[in-house]
Amino acid sequence: MSRRHIDITPELMLRAYRAGLFPMAESRGGDRLYWLDPERRGIIPLDAGFHLPRRLLRTVLSGPFTVTADADFAATIAGCAEAAPGREDTWINPEIEYLFTALHRQGHAHSVEVWEGGRLVGGLYGVVLGAAFFGESMFSRARDASKVALVHLVARLRLGGFTLLDSQFLTEHLAQFGAHEIPRADYKRRLSTAMLGAARWITAPDPAALEAEIRALRPAAGPA
């Protein structure tokens, strides 16, 4: 099913997410948005199933990056929309940017930003409803930047009491963290439960609590 941007409002977006649908454009230059409801849905575990390699844990805790949340949503979604090696085009068109920026202003969309030397080098964004975080996209301009953003996201979601982290699709990049696919019916059951939850998005958590939550993530077995 497709609709032009003029038919889609932020309110309609929220209803769609509650029903398990999400929008995508065909390309950066495309003028149509499509609702997707995949037969198999990617999710990232928020419990011991999350895999955090020891090397990445060291980078998160003592690397060159500074991490913020909701400090520059517009720049984060723009970074996700830009072309990159191996990703010459994206599904984030201007309509997508407009709609998610509107959701951000309403308090429903959030970003995690990764900075190095005052320069934005990575990040991610998504939608919050109930106890669910719907991850949309991430980008990286420096080694490990998007991975650091994901680890910080998971730690924040755990602190806030979230129960579902939806990644939409399963990618090789996400699989290394324990992401996996579940059938649509299973996803809808988990979604219904999450919609009844009352989680809290934490923009600026206590640094000690955040570090403790990051350390509590189970290191992956195998090489550091």
Side-chain angles (χ1 to χ4, degrees):
M1 176 182 180
S2 65
R3 293 182 183 271
R4 294 189 181 279
H5 165 62
I6 192 171
D7 296 325
I8 299 180
T9 64
E11 292 68 32
L12 178 59
M13 295 267 284
L14 296 177
R15 291 201 299 272
Y17 275 96
R18 290 189 182 97
L21 284 71
F22 59 91
M24 294 181 71
E26 284 185 305
S27 65
R28 175 66 175 161
D31 63 354
R32 276 182 193 274
L33 300 186
Y34 295 85
W35 293 118
L36 279 75
D37 185 13
E39 291 185 6
R40 298 188 64 80
R41 193 70 161 246
I43 62 168
I44 301 173
L46 292 172
D47 53 19
F50 185 82
H51 299 165
L52 177 57
R54 290 187 294 276
R55 182 194 66 80
L56 182 58
L57 175 60
R58 292 194 296 269
T59 299
V60 172
L61 295 178
S62 59
F65 303 119
T66 299
V67 182
T68 58
D70 292 337
D72 199 335
F73 185 90
T76 301
I77 193 171
C80 292
E82 69 186 12
R87 190 186 69 179
E88 284 65 37
D89 198 3
T90 73
W91 56 269
I92 302 172
N93 67 359
E95 289 81 4
I96 289 284
E97 289 189 72
Y98 168 82
L99 288 165
F100 281 97
T101 300
L103 288 176
H104 173 65
R105 288 196 299 268
Q106 295 176 6
H108 294 297
H110 300 280
S111 58
V112 175
E113 304 91 10
V114 179
W115 309 83
E116 185 176 21
R119 185 174 72 95
L120 183 64
V121 295
L124 56 81
Y125 74 97
V127 172
V128 165
L129 284 172
F133 186 95
F134 304 89
E136 288 296 318
S137 187
M138 60 175 59
F139 78 100
S140 183
R141 296 171 182 152
R143 183 187 181 192
D144 290 336
S146 63
K147 297 178 181 179
V148 169
L150 179 60
V151 172
H152 270 262
L153 172 67
V154 170
R156 279 174 164 79
L157 296 182
R158 286 163 57 101
L159 282 172
F162 286 80
T163 60
L164 178 64
L165 174 49
D166 174 14
S167 67
Q168 298 178 348
F169 300 107
L170 179 64
T171 66
E172 184 177 346
H173 176 73
L174 295 176
Q176 65 186 301
F177 296 100
H180 57 279
E181 289 183 329
I182 58 175
R184 179 192 291 153
D186 188 6
Y187 172 78
K188 295 293 179 69
R189 284 193 294 269
R190 298 189 191 200
L191 176 63
S192 296
T193 300
M195 289 300 96
L196 299 175
R200 181 169 61 97
W201 172 259
I202 306 175
T203 300
D206 174 75
L210 181 62
E211 179 175 334
E213 202 62 57
I214 291 172
R215 289 185 181 277
L217 295 172
R218 186 181 68 177

